[in-house]
Amino acid sequence: MISFNTLQNKVKVLETVSSHEEQLYKILEIYMDSFPVLDAHLFRYSPFGYLAEGILAITPSGLIHIREMREDIRSLPIIYSAIQERKAKYCCGVDYLIQTNSKYIISSNITSMTVTPICMDSVVMGYICSSEFENNTHIEDSWLNSLSQYGKLIGKVFERSTKADSSPLLSRRELEVMKRISWGESNKEMAVTMGLSELTIKQYVKTAIDKIGALNRAHAVSVLLRKGIIN
């Protein structure tokens, strides 16, 4: 098992990478260097529709784009449970066949999978899947704990980068609330995470919508996304 401090030091490299595309590649590169895996598939996740979309993968054959992969994760129990619990999960053997679908069964030699959610606070923004491992690798709880830690450290990197963004139109709190709405958080979840009352959250939402000139919160989020103010 790799120590938390070692993982933390490795992840710090991501903060020096200026290109978003290179940062995504580095996430997989550090992951594969830190854990006994032979492949890594990176997905983004949206709680709206439980939709997962492929981004990049590193396999024994090299780097590939997997943008054609789109899934409702409710049809994949192992991924769904990893996202719901915000913890790395593992399945193998018959359980692997039950918890995945046929497009993930690439060959008869692949009979196991790990899923590592990438968490920004209480929100899962993506995950990494692996289905090929180094010889004599035994997946233990300590191993899964390290994977979970990695996903949270990656989330913190993205959280710091989004906080560095600014909007001349919205206050810091209004901007944070609109970002969290785009991540799928409810008023209640935001109130708990931000240490505010639900009434205050609603007021921030209302003033943000008014400043943007939007019709509702969904319209406001789409405007901010289109302008690149939130991502």
Side-chain angles (χ1 to χ4, degrees):
M1 182 187 73
I2 187 170
S3 72
F4 178 76
N5 287 338
T6 301
L7 276 179
Q8 203 169 33
N9 289 332
K10 287 188 174 188
V11 168
K12 281 182 180 178
V13 174
L14 295 173
E15 298 179 8
T16 66
V17 179
S18 56
S19 162
H20 180 64
E21 289 71 23
E22 186 182 353
Q23 192 176 56
L24 296 177
Y25 173 75
K26 278 287 184 184
I27 288 170
L28 294 184
E29 188 178 57
I30 295 168
Y31 169 85
M32 294 188 69
D33 182 59
S34 303
F35 302 102
V37 297
L38 300 177
D39 70 332
H41 295 71
L42 177 64
F43 291 80
R44 65 168 60 90
Y45 171 71
S46 170
F48 295 108
Y50 298 91
L51 180 66
E53 298 178 294
I55 303 176
L56 285 174
I58 298 177
T59 71
S61 301
L63 178 69
I64 58 173
H65 292 280
I66 53 172
R67 297 190 185 97
E68 75 285 356
M69 297 188 74
R70 293 167 63 90
E71 292 289 349
D72 181 331
I73 57 96
R74 290 172 294 185
S75 66
L76 298 160
I78 183 174
I79 296 175
Y80 182 74
S81 63
I83 287 174
Q84 291 295 105
E85 298 177 35
R86 299 192 292 278
K87 293 180 180 178
K89 296 287 182 177
Y90 171 71
C91 64
C92 64
V94 174
D95 197 32
Y96 171 75
L97 300 178
I98 294 170
Q99 297 209 46
T100 59
N101 62 35
S102 58
K103 74 168 65 174
Y104 286 88
I105 304 173
I106 301 169
S107 76
S108 58
N109 294 326
I110 296 176
T111 58
S112 58
M113 175 186 282
T114 57
V115 180
T116 302
I118 298 173
C119 306
M120 190 183 295
D121 286 338
S122 62
V123 177
V124 176
M125 58 188 298
Y127 58 89
I128 301 171
C129 286
S130 291
S131 55
E132 297 186 62
F133 307 92
E134 294 177 4
N135 290 336
N136 303 315
T137 296
H138 298 286
I139 312 298
E140 301 174 348
D141 287 344
S142 58
W143 207 86
L144 292 176
N145 288 338
S146 292
L147 286 172
S148 297
Q149 288 174 346
Y150 184 74
K152 290 174 182 176
L153 286 170
I154 296 302
K156 286 186 181 297
V157 171
F158 282 109
E159 184 176 9
R160 285 192 289 272
S161 66
T162 56
K163 282 182 178 177
D165 296 336
S166 62
S167 166
L169 190 62
L170 303 182
S171 70
R172 181 178 62 83
R173 282 296 199 185
E174 289 163 352
L175 184 60
E176 183 176 0
V177 165
M178 297 312 293
K179 284 178 181 177
R180 291 181 180 278
I181 290 173
S182 75
W183 300 339
E185 285 194 17
S186 66
N187 287 349
K188 184 175 181 179
E189 288 172 327
M190 285 189 281
V192 171
T193 303
M194 297 171 67
L196 302 171
S197 69
E198 286 189 59
L199 183 62
T200 301
I201 295 294
K202 289 178 182 177
Q203 187 59 41
Y204 280 131
V205 174
K206 182 180 183 303
T207 56
I209 290 172
D210 290 344
K211 286 182 178 181
I212 295 167
L215 299 175
N216 49 45
R217 62 171 59 196
H219 183 209
V221 166
S222 69
V223 170
L224 293 171
L225 287 169
R226 188 171 66 252
K227 290 183 176 181
I229 295 172
I230 61 177
N231 53 42

